[in-house]
Amino acid sequence: MSKAPYPLNRTAYLLVDPYNDFLSENGKVFPLIKPIAEQVGLLDNLRALDRAVRAQTIPVVIVPHHRWEHGDYEGWDHPTPTQCKIMHMHHFARGEWGGEWHPDFAPKDGDIIVQEHWGSSGFANTDLDFRLKQKGITHVIIVGLLANTCIEATARYASELGYHVTLVRDATAAFRAEMMHAAHELNGPTFAHSIVTTQELIEALAVQE
């Protein structure tokens, strides 16, 4: 899809789930995404985007998954398969290293940290939409993990709420290449207004007023 303009005073950068478990070498989930993360240059691209959006004073919004705590999901009527996996593997455990921010992507002064999402969408049952609207945001750039779950669900929800949605195909990762293909070639084009590479996005932001 073609690149779209990004009004800097109405654009926000949504970084989903920047936890050690996802992005650090010894994280619980990182080994599962490592092949694709290395193939697309995930960490370097996220670093480059972080520099670019901050240089343009675009608001950085951290969109975190619920950090596991003892008793979570137990007794639920119908937890999802992902929630069951988190319950057994203790992904993103609160108070543990895996549930801490990756040091390169930890929030900085002025960043927005929204309520933790229990499912895949960063909007469902959180204050994300409210916080964005309070800043007059109309355009969202969504990056982080995983391409075919939290990124896709958050982006779909954003489009339903009327936001202009950009996906960055090499600023995310997934467990398998087929999942990346589905996220960017099959599903993404049905709801995202723009699907670009990190370099394309940086170039587009650089020409905005």
Side-chain angles (χ1 to χ4, degrees), residues 146-201:
L146 293 166
N148 61 307
T149 56
C150 289
I151 299 302
E152 181 169 331
T154 300
R156 282 182 179 275
Y157 210 123
S159 69
E160 295 285 352
L161 291 170
Y163 293 96
H164 179 286
V165 175
T166 293
L167 298 175
V168 188
R169 62 177 71 246
D170 54 2
T172 185
F175 297 148
R176 299 197 302 271
E178 296 92 330
M179 294 173 173
M180 291 286 278
H181 177 78
H184 302 127
E185 306 303 330
L186 302 179
N187 299 337
T190 69
F191 60 84
H193 301 85
S194 185
I195 303 177
V196 295
T197 65
T198 292
Q199 187 58 40
E200 288 171 339
L201 179 59

Side-chain angles (χ1 to χ4, degrees), residues 34-42 177:
K34 183 176 180 178
I36 290 176
E38 291 183 343
Q39 176 184 340
V40 301
L42 171 65

Side-chain angles (χ1 to χ4, degrees), residues 4 26 70 74 89 113 115 128 134 147 154-155 171-172 197 208:
N26 295 320
H70 181 72
E74 294 177 7
M89 299 300 295
I113 306 173
Q115 294 170 339
L128 177 55
Q134 288 299 314
T154 300
T172 185
T197 65
Q208 301 306 302

